[in-house]
């Protein structure tokens, strides 16, 4: 592939900025939100984020979607001792540093015909249909099965543990945390109070003791 010209890449960067604005305009009047070219939506306990991926060296636009249960972040924040983060905006659940990572779905190609308003509208349509399908057909156990089958399930360890707790699978979550803690694994979070497996194990033990 030939190296793109400076004028081409400049135009693509401009299109990316314009798409972020178009996304904000597209979600007005809907239950969806948008920030920095990413759409955010919730339905029946599920969270979906769809991030634009405008090609800079070629004229293509893709989008990446991530899914997670709404229940996982508040549980994660309780476990690590940061419950005040529940007051953050919905976009924090995607952009924030102290959040449960979402399950990444296969990237989708977005037709660029019609310019950025049409691209943004297609993104919203795909995100809407995907979230609707998840809300209708997925359970917490389905989500855990998909995590186990993902390319890097260790990346999603905090998400899996919080999902197990939300699903009432406390003992299973505790066993996994104790095993990870025993091997000295941080599994995505370390603080002065301990690693995530250590903190999660203490949280679950206290929950089980309380009945």
């Amino acid at each position: 592939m030939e190296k793109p010209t400076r004028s081409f890449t400049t135009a693509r960067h401009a299109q990316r900025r314009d798409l972020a604005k178009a996304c904000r305009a597209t979600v007005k009047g809907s239950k969806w939100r948008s920030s920095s070219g990413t759409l955010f939506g919730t339905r029946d306990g599920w969270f979906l984020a769809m991030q634009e991926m405008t090609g800079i060296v070629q004229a293509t636009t893709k989008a990446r979607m991530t899914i997670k249960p709404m229940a996982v972040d508040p549980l994660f924040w309780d476990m690590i001792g940061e419950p005040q983060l529940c007051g953050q905006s919905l976009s924090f659940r995607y952009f924030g540093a102290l959040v449960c990572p979402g399950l990444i779905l296969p990237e989708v190609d977005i037709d660029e015909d019609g310019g950025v308003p049409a691209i943004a509208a297609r993104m919203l349509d795909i995100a809407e249909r995907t979230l609707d399908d998840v809300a209708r057909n997925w359970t917490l156990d389905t989500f855990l099965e998909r995590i186990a089958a993902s390319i890097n399930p260790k990346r999603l360890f905090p998400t899996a543990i919080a999902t197990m707790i939300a699903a009432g699978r406390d003992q299973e979550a505790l066993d996994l945390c104790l095993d990870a803690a025993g091997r000295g694994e941080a599994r995505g979070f370390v603080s002065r109070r301990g690693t995530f497996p250590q903190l999660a194990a203490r949280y679950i033990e206290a929950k089980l003791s309380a009945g």
Side-chain angles (χ1 to χ4, degrees):
M1 184 176 67
E2 293 184 6
K3 183 178 180 180
T5 63
R6 178 175 294 183
S7 61
F8 179 85
T9 57
T10 297
R12 295 300 293 180
H13 280 295
Q15 177 167 315
R16 187 174 192 180
R17 291 191 296 270
D18 291 342
L19 180 54
K21 295 176 184 177
C23 285
R24 290 196 298 271
T26 297
V27 301
K28 283 186 177 179
S30 75
K31 293 182 178 179
W32 287 81
R33 298 292 180 266
S34 180
S35 176
S36 302
T38 301
L39 307 178
F40 306 96
T42 65
R43 183 162 306 154
D44 296 336
W46 292 94
F47 170 88
L48 181 144
M50 183 184 214
Q51 182 177 15
E52 64 81 21
M53 299 171 65
T54 301
I56 302 303
V57 299
Q58 53 187 336
T60 60
T61 296
K62 296 179 180 291
R64 174 180 294 163
M65 289 180 286
T66 62
I67 286 281
K68 59 182 172 180
M70 283 290 288
V72 297
D73 286 312
L75 284 167
F76 175 71
W77 294 327
D78 280 345
M79 284 185 275
I80 66 172
E82 302 288 350
Q84 76 282 355
L85 293 177
C86 287
Q88 293 287 336
S89 65
L90 188 64
S91 63
F92 184 82
R93 295 182 184 233
Y94 184 71
F95 290 123
L98 296 179
V99 297
C100 284
L103 177 68
I104 300 174
L105 303 182
E107 293 176 2
V108 294
D109 294 310
I110 310 295
D111 190 341
E112 292 195 342
D113 287 349
V116 291
I119 296 172
R122 292 184 185 108
M123 284 177 58
L124 180 59
D125 178 64
I126 294 170
E128 174 71 28
R129 287 188 282 110
T130 302
L131 182 57
D132 186 64
D133 177 67
V134 169
R136 287 174 180 271
N137 300 307
W138 287 28
T139 65
L140 295 180
D141 289 336
T142 301
F143 183 68
L144 288 167
E145 290 168 2
R146 289 176 178 261
I147 288 178
S150 65
I151 294 175
N152 185 11
K154 285 188 176 182
R155 181 186 73 88
L156 294 162
F157 186 80
T159 310
I161 294 301
T163 303
M164 288 177 187
I165 294 171
R169 294 162 59 173
D170 295 344
Q171 188 59 56
E172 181 180 355
L174 177 59
D175 291 343
L176 289 173
C177 289
L178 291 174
D179 181 63
R183 287 185 273 111
E185 297 178 355
R187 292 298 180 102
F189 180 80
V190 180
S191 74
R192 288 177 294 179
R193 293 186 294 272
T195 64
F196 175 74
Q198 291 171 334
L199 296 172
R202 293 172 202 158
Y203 175 91
I204 300 168
E205 287 171 340
K207 184 173 183 285
L208 291 173
S209 296

